[in-house]
Amino acid sequence: MSVDVSRVGPEAAAEVLAVVREAFGARPPLDPPADAMAEDQVSIARMLRRRGGLVARLDGEPVGCVVLDPGPDGMVLRRFGVTPSAQGRGVATALVEAAVDASLGHSAVRVLAREELPDTVAFWEALGFVETGRHSPYVELARWLGTSFDAREPETMRALGERLGHTLVAGDLVVLTGELGAGKTTFTQGLGEGLQVRGGVTSPTFVISRVHPSLVEGPDLVHVDAYRLGGLAELDDLDLDTPLESSVTVVEWGAGLAEGLADARLEVLIERTVGETAPDDEVDPRRVSLRWVVGQ
């Protein structure tokens, strides 16, 4: 039986709470008690509102969950739990790997485990997490992630953008930087495919901005070229058909200009990794660097 892991938001608070209560309630008594046992549907919805979370299902029934909480030092996994009846069936591992995929652009995925639960600490270590500190009764662990990727062909650039598109949620701001011809539009085309939006994504140079509506009731894609804009005021004044807080916004040439549009942003830098290639050379390698900038 395969595990199905899906991204969820505040609308899934009741499901997540039920898994949290069953999973954490089955653990040995702890002193002090786990903070998770004090959660209610309102508090879970509040946690999910920031970045969402993941729910794992077996035969359609929710059996595992985790809340994604981005911070300046990486993505923190909170309220990670699997119901007792589903343990030993690969649910926890599937949740971790899905969480790693959802953390693209972050330098690390981080967790807190209890010192009194050595088997739990060993589980995280078996999945590549290493201890980074102890503040009794907690053990801090992290799994380091790559944030730079080589793209030798346009297809690789597009695939990386598509992979990123699967991780983005409404309200996300992507600031895209690279010289002319670096592959910014190709990257954004893949991102649009990952978001599943309507219309082929092309450079918005002559119209400054385009809105691509979602085909799957997800966030729209707002694609902006800030090259000819004079400042943040002009960027704020763009007459868009969709609010930025309910969309994913990609701003080309936005470094030093677009940062004020959101509290957090993903900075994408595309650079050539070799000197100028010959005209008949089909390979023009690029390096794509991703960096989430998240406030405290």
Side-chain angles (χ1 to χ4, degrees):
M1 184 185 304
S2 62
V3 181
D4 176 51
V5 180
S6 58
R7 192 78 172 261
V8 298
E11 76 288 342
E15 278 189 327
V16 172
L17 178 63
V19 172
V20 167
R21 285 180 171 172
E22 186 173 353
F24 282 81
R27 296 180 179 181
L30 300 174
D31 185 20
D35 294 340
M37 296 305 296
E39 300 288 7
D40 57 24
Q41 191 167 329
V42 173
S43 65
I44 290 291
R46 186 183 305 115
M47 295 177 70
L48 290 170
R49 195 166 289 117
R50 186 177 187 196
R51 192 74 203 167
L54 300 166
V55 168
R57 293 180 172 86
L58 289 173
D59 280 343
E61 292 297 318
V63 295
C65 68
V66 63
V67 175
L68 303 174
D69 184 15
D73 297 323
M75 183 73 80
V76 182
L77 307 186
R78 302 196 185 278
R79 306 304 178 253
F80 186 99
V82 176
T83 59
S85 63
Q87 292 177 6
R89 302 171 74 175
V91 175
T93 300
L95 273 172
V96 172
E97 295 309 318
V100 168
D101 288 342
S103 302
L104 183 64
H106 290 275
S107 60
V109 175
R110 298 179 178 274
V111 295
L112 287 177
R114 294 291 292 256
E115 292 175 319
E116 309 99 310
L117 302 175
D119 288 347
T120 300
V121 174
F123 163 79
W124 293 111
E125 291 176 336
L127 290 178
F129 287 74
V130 296
E131 183 176 330
T132 58
R134 286 189 181 236
H135 302 280
S136 187
Y138 297 106
V139 181
E140 300 173 354
L141 302 108
R143 175 169 160 177
W144 308 108
L145 305 180
T147 56
S148 293
F149 306 87
D150 290 330
R152 293 182 59 82
E153 305 90 11
E155 292 78 11
T156 306
M157 181 75 73
R158 188 189 301 268
L160 178 60
E162 182 176 2
R163 180 182 166 196
L164 177 65
H166 290 305
T167 74
L168 298 176
V169 299
D172 280 346
L173 170 65
V174 180
V175 179
L176 189 53
T177 302
E179 63 186 24
L180 286 170
K184 298 187 297 297
T185 298
T186 300
F187 182 88
T188 307
Q189 288 170 344
L191 192 149
E193 293 170 3
L195 287 171
Q196 299 184 63
V197 298
R198 180 184 304 154
V201 175
T202 59
S203 174
T205 300
F206 298 106
V207 296
I208 298 181
S209 66
R210 285 193 178 92
V211 177
H212 298 271
S214 173
L215 297 172
V216 292
E217 298 184 356
D220 298 339
L221 171 63
V222 177
H223 187 198
V224 179
D225 187 328
Y227 187 75
R228 291 181 290 126
L229 295 180
L232 180 60
E234 290 187 29
L235 193 56
D236 281 334
D237 288 341
L238 288 178
D239 186 17
L240 302 173
D241 296 328
T242 184
L244 298 185
E245 60 268 19
S246 61
S247 309
V248 169
T249 304
V250 177
V251 184
E252 297 188 24
W253 304 99
L257 179 66
E259 289 84 355
L261 291 177
D263 294 333
R265 65 187 180 277
L266 175 61
E267 297 179 347
V268 180
L269 174 63
I270 304 176
E271 302 172 289
R272 282 188 168 90
T273 57
V274 295
E276 293 296 324
T277 57
D280 59 350
D281 193 339
E282 297 181 358
V283 177
D284 192 3
R286 307 290 201 274
R287 173 156 295 169
V288 183
S289 300
L290 309 177
R291 185 173 79 103
W292 272 103
V293 179
V294 180
Q296 296 282 358

